[in-house]
Amino acid sequence: MTAPNIETIVSLAKRRGFVFPASEIYGGLGSSWDYGSLGVELANNIKKSWWRWLVYERDDIEGLDSSIIQNRNVWKYSGHETTFSDPLVDCRACKGRYRLDKLQDVQCPNHPEAHPGEDKECDLTEAREFNLMFRTTVGAVSTDEDESALAYLRPETAQGIFINFANVLNTSRRKLPFGIAQIGKAFRNEVTPGNFIFRTREFEQMEMEYFVRPEDAPQIHQQWIDDFHGWIQSLGISAENLKLYEQSADELAHYAERTVDILYRYFPERADEEKQWDELMGIANRTDYDLRVHSKKPEDAEGKRINPDSTDDLSYFDEATKQRFYPYVIEPAIGVNRTLLAVMMDAYTEKSNEKGETRVILKLKPELSPIKVAILPLAKNKPEIVELARKIKNDLQPSMRAVYDDTGGIGKLYARQDEIGTPFCVTVDHESLEDNAVTIRDRDTWEQERVAIGQLKEYLHKRAG
Amino acid sequence: MTAPNIETIVSLAKRRGFVFPASEIYGGLGSSWDYGSLGVELANNIKKSWWRWLVYERDDIEGLDSSIIQNRNVWKYSGHETTFSDPLVDCRACKGRYRLDKLQDVQCPNHPEAHPGEDKECDLTEAREFNLMFRTTVGAVSTDEDESALAYLRPETAQGIFINFANVLNTSRRKLPFGIAQIGKAFRNEVTPGNFIFRTREFEQMEMEYFVRPEDAPQIHQQWIDDFHGWIQSLGISAENLKLYEQSADELAHYAERTVDILYRYFPERADEEKQWDELMGIANRTDYDLRVHSKKPEDAEGKRINPDSTDDLSYFDEATKQRFYPYVIEPAIGVNRTLLAVMMDAYTEKSNEKGETRVILKLKPELSPIKVAILPLAKNKPEIVELARKIKNDLQPSMRAVYDDTGGIGKLYARQDEIGTPFCVTVDHESLEDNAVTIRDRDTWEQERVAIGQLKEYLHKRAG
């Protein structure tokens, strides 16, 4: 089973320390979230899995970590200054502010039965474009209005990759096709953030830009769609909760030739099946748009695009064909936060115990579990048992994430570990002092097995990875 | 030996893809830097080492990842809005802008023999306080001037920990003493950033706040000073390039009772020994200042500090003594970027090869090396050798970072790996096809050893960790 709705995960996440409302003691800050002890481990494990799969296991991808604040020209020439905006309207009657393209999704506060603009008392202004980039000012300038010091928080990590294309190419001696991968924070001043960590103004992206010969782009694009569809399932997300979506011509970004989204069933409670799905990730063929626009004084087909500010040409010279051209870019882009939400929803399971009480089990893939094994002493007032339990924890720790917990009765401790997705509990009891063995309990089956302490590490490695 | 100066590392870092100037194709952005393929691995390994040591190997520290943008009240009550500033003066004659407290460190552009203010033509304005926090605006407001939407980029990660104190306490059932650890970006609008990645406006912190009983604070503070002094050396930084510095009363931050800095010899080229040192990290006793100021309506000794905006009281109830009090906080705070710079400087070594040419070796601790082993085929035109080399890479990859490289002659490939700190090179040659063995070359001694392919993994694990 999966979680019945996002609210179930919000509640579990807060109760168990995965995700807290940010700035909570000051009333929050419009859909901002902080990651607690377990949330940061789960997020880190998702990032590690992505990085290992792309950068370590393949031989054609380099890592990168570029700055959040870049020179303003990056966003001028990428097109974000002029096109990265939402159309907003204000209602003079109810004082509400709405996205013109999302009026159907909200209600008029004065007339909840109508959408803004539908009721005759509504008085909407003309739409104006609201740029989604956060603005700031760099350096000790006199006022915030000094345009020369204006800068933005990056709305995507991708541009940091494009502007470093030549640096990476020169230092790595790569030949096409090859990719550059980056994980990092991005910021979008969304008008209506919401749905927990699904849409937030501050979020974390995992983006990879894969540079290819233009003629190879369609086939390699399809390959990355297939590969990411597989990778998402390798995180434990079931195929029936995933759906591929081909963007239509009028949905495509101005730089994209084709984009396929992978949707997750974030809203299983909605009666209309079509409305159950929303975007987990997108895989775009960005063409040669980005490398072209950041190159010194290039002209496009119509002779319009000039870039006198760039100092470099980001074209590629092919030794084999002796040709120079701008590579095409295939971009699989996925959010850490949306992945974490999908992983938690898909792992969420309820089960009845023998007393008929409902218990929550988070059936995470062991690779993603914040904690791989919990060591629990059956009698915390017996020093030999506590000492042995702590020793087992310390012996396991170098090779896997282990915790020691003695803050409750064994039934309560098991239930806690089930809820946070720990695949195994190890119980140290009186007998352990004599037979040098412990009881291992499985999260998913609740079955128990007696294992010699000397074989514990091997047993757990085989099962928890 | 260590690097003769920071410039040597700047050059190596750019040449080999550790660190690039950010926004380079647009002329940069005042001391901003992007981390390339090797830099991101080195930084990640430093972060992993810190996290493992604090969060995994101990049993008293929880992890956290809080937002960069928090509610403005966090910075109002922390004191940053009023006190986190530098005094600036402008010169009406030369149009320069200077920090009043650093006039001795700069030259007057019109009269380079004098410091600003010393020459009679200088015409300095009155000093004004320049707040170092980056400002931005959250949500779809009409103008940047709308104060209700004003927000800051965090200038330190610490406050995200304090405002989550109750959340972590409640979900983790911790008792004093315990800590909360966080790694993340912070931003300071420095007037004069510089010295490569030593002082940048965007940087990454590793901060841990350790909550203790007030009476235990002095002794636990000293323990953390000793422990971090040891941890830094465990990264391969030599003791003779480290120095403890006790802040004097007038240097202490307003919240600190005692702060000890650990200095690194970042400027070994300076004749004046006193000027060779600068701050790598600080370990502060912040008293109960932070938990107090973020608590609902507390009054300090003089009855002045009132906080009507907070919804929570961040005091702690001690079950044993039945007393309620505000814990003291010990804070070891260290920058990822400054650590990376110190690690690279300390690992930098030059060595003469048999032809008398100077070679660079980066003698990183294997734990920190971006790449643990490089697999090099001796003949890239022989498919069986290439295939075997790739197979060895793939077999090693799951358990350690391995790369395959065939883009040069063997001497050149060895030199490349030495420069980036790879502890071992494995050469696959014609004989390997017959004796199932390879040659392993050691980075530091340049000695070679023949090892059976079946024993390779164990051999490397023993030496490269």
Side-chain angles (χ1 to χ4, degrees), chain B residues 28-221:
Chain B
L29 182 73
S31 297
S32 285
W33 302 89
D34 290 347
Y35 290 76
S37 181
L38 300 170
V40 63
E41 296 294 339
L42 179 52
N44 282 345
N45 290 341
I46 289 168
K47 289 187 261 183
K48 266 184 220 162
S49 170
W50 185 88
W51 192 267
R52 189 175 59 236
W53 178 54
L54 292 178
V55 181
Y56 293 171
E57 290 175 7
R58 297 175 61 107
D59 289 318
D60 57 355
I61 297 181
E62 300 280 336
L64 186 80
D65 185 17
S66 67
S67 300
I68 289 172
I69 301 179
Q70 300 277 358
N71 188 302
R72 180 183 169 185
N73 278 326
V74 174
W75 310 106
K76 175 179 173 186
Y77 291 105
S78 71
H80 283 80
E81 272 199 342
T82 47
T83 66
F84 195 64
S85 58
D86 283 338
L88 293 193
V89 293
D90 292 313
C91 177
R92 296 184 189 96
C94 73
K95 307 295 176 200
R97 177 164 290 159
Y98 310 102
R99 274 178 64 173
L100 182 63
D101 55 337
K102 300 277 182 183
L103 290 178
Q104 296 304 310
D105 297 352
V106 289
Q107 298 166 313
C108 171
N110 291 346
H111 304 275
E113 70 287 358
H115 302 299
E118 284 183 350
D119 190 90
K120 64 180 181 334
E121 287 174 40
C122 287
D123 182 14
L124 299 185
T125 60
E126 288 279 292
R128 62 188 175 86
E129 289 297 319
F130 173 70
N131 196 291
L132 296 179
M133 288 195 290
F134 280 95
R135 297 156 61 97
T136 192
T137 305
V138 175
V141 291
S142 315
T143 70
D144 285 358
E145 295 304 286
D146 187 337
E147 279 276 308
S148 72
L150 176 64
Y152 303 103
L153 307 191
R154 65 179 175 201
E156 61 174 29
T157 60
Q159 298 299 324
I161 293 178
F162 300 132
I163 59 173
N164 275 297
F165 175 73
N167 277 332
V168 174
L169 193 65
N170 294 338
T171 54
S172 69
R173 292 168 304 278
R174 287 287 180 190
K175 289 186 177 30
L176 294 185
F178 76 94
I180 304 178
Q182 175 165 228
I183 298 175
K185 285 272 176 89
F187 300 80
R188 296 181 186 177
N189 207 353
E190 299 280 356
V191 179
T192 44
N195 285 321
F196 190 40
I197 54 175
F198 179 79
R199 177 170 284 110
T200 52
R201 294 187 173 119
E202 175 177 341
F203 59 106
E204 195 161 21
Q205 290 189 308
M206 303 187 281
E207 291 197 310
M208 195 272 288
E209 312 297 324
Y210 199 75
F211 302 93
V212 303
R213 288 185 178 76
E215 63 272 24
D216 298 337
Q219 179 263 324
I220 292 179
H221 186 198

Side-chain angles (χ1 to χ4, degrees), chain B residues 252-269:
Chain B
L252 285 174
H254 59 282
Y255 51 73
E257 187 170 294
R258 179 190 176 213
T259 299
V260 171
D261 292 335
I262 300 183
L263 311 182
Y264 179 74
R265 198 192 301 267
Y266 284 108
F267 307 99
E269 77 281 13

Side-chain angles (χ1 to χ4, degrees), chain A residues 23 37 41 56 62 70 97 140, chain B residues 23 37 41 56 62 97 140:
Chain A
S23 302
S37 181
E41 296 293 338
Y56 293 170
E62 300 279 337
Q70 299 277 359
R97 177 164 291 159
Chain B
S23 302
S37 181
E41 296 294 339
Y56 293 171
E62 300 280 336
R97 177 164 290 159

Side-chain angles (χ1 to χ4, degrees), chain A residues 4-130:
Chain A
N5 48 45
I6 288 182
E7 288 67 37
T8 310
I9 302 298
V10 177
S11 159
L12 171 65
K14 163 108 214 246
R15 188 170 75 249
R16 298 312 316 280
F18 282 91
V19 186
F20 306 121
S23 302
E24 193 179 16
I25 65 169
Y26 292 114
L29 182 73
S31 297
S32 285
W33 303 89
D34 290 346
Y35 290 75
S37 181
L38 299 171
V40 64
E41 296 293 338
L42 179 53
N44 282 345
N45 289 340
I46 288 168
K47 288 187 262 184
K48 266 184 221 164
S49 170
W50 185 88
W51 193 266
R52 189 175 58 236
W53 178 53
L54 291 178
V55 181
Y56 293 170
E57 290 176 7
R58 297 176 61 107
D59 289 319
D60 58 354
I61 297 181
E62 300 279 337
L64 186 80
D65 185 17
S66 66
S67 299
I68 288 172
I69 301 179
Q70 299 277 359
N71 188 302
R72 179 182 169 185
N73 278 325
V74 174
W75 311 107
K76 175 178 173 186
Y77 291 104
S78 70
H80 283 81
E81 272 200 342
T82 46
T83 65
F84 195 65
S85 58
D86 282 339
L88 293 193
V89 294
D90 291 313
C91 178
R92 297 183 189 96
C94 73
K95 307 295 176 199
R97 177 164 291 159
Y98 310 102
R99 274 178 63 171
L100 182 63
D101 55 337
K102 300 278 183 182
L103 290 178
Q104 297 304 310
D105 298 352
V106 288
Q107 298 166 315
C108 172
N110 291 346
H111 305 273
E113 71 286 358
H115 302 298
E118 285 183 350
D119 190 90
K120 63 178 181 334
E121 288 174 38
C122 287
D123 182 13
L124 299 186
T125 61
E126 289 281 291
R128 64 189 174 87
E129 289 297 320
F130 173 71

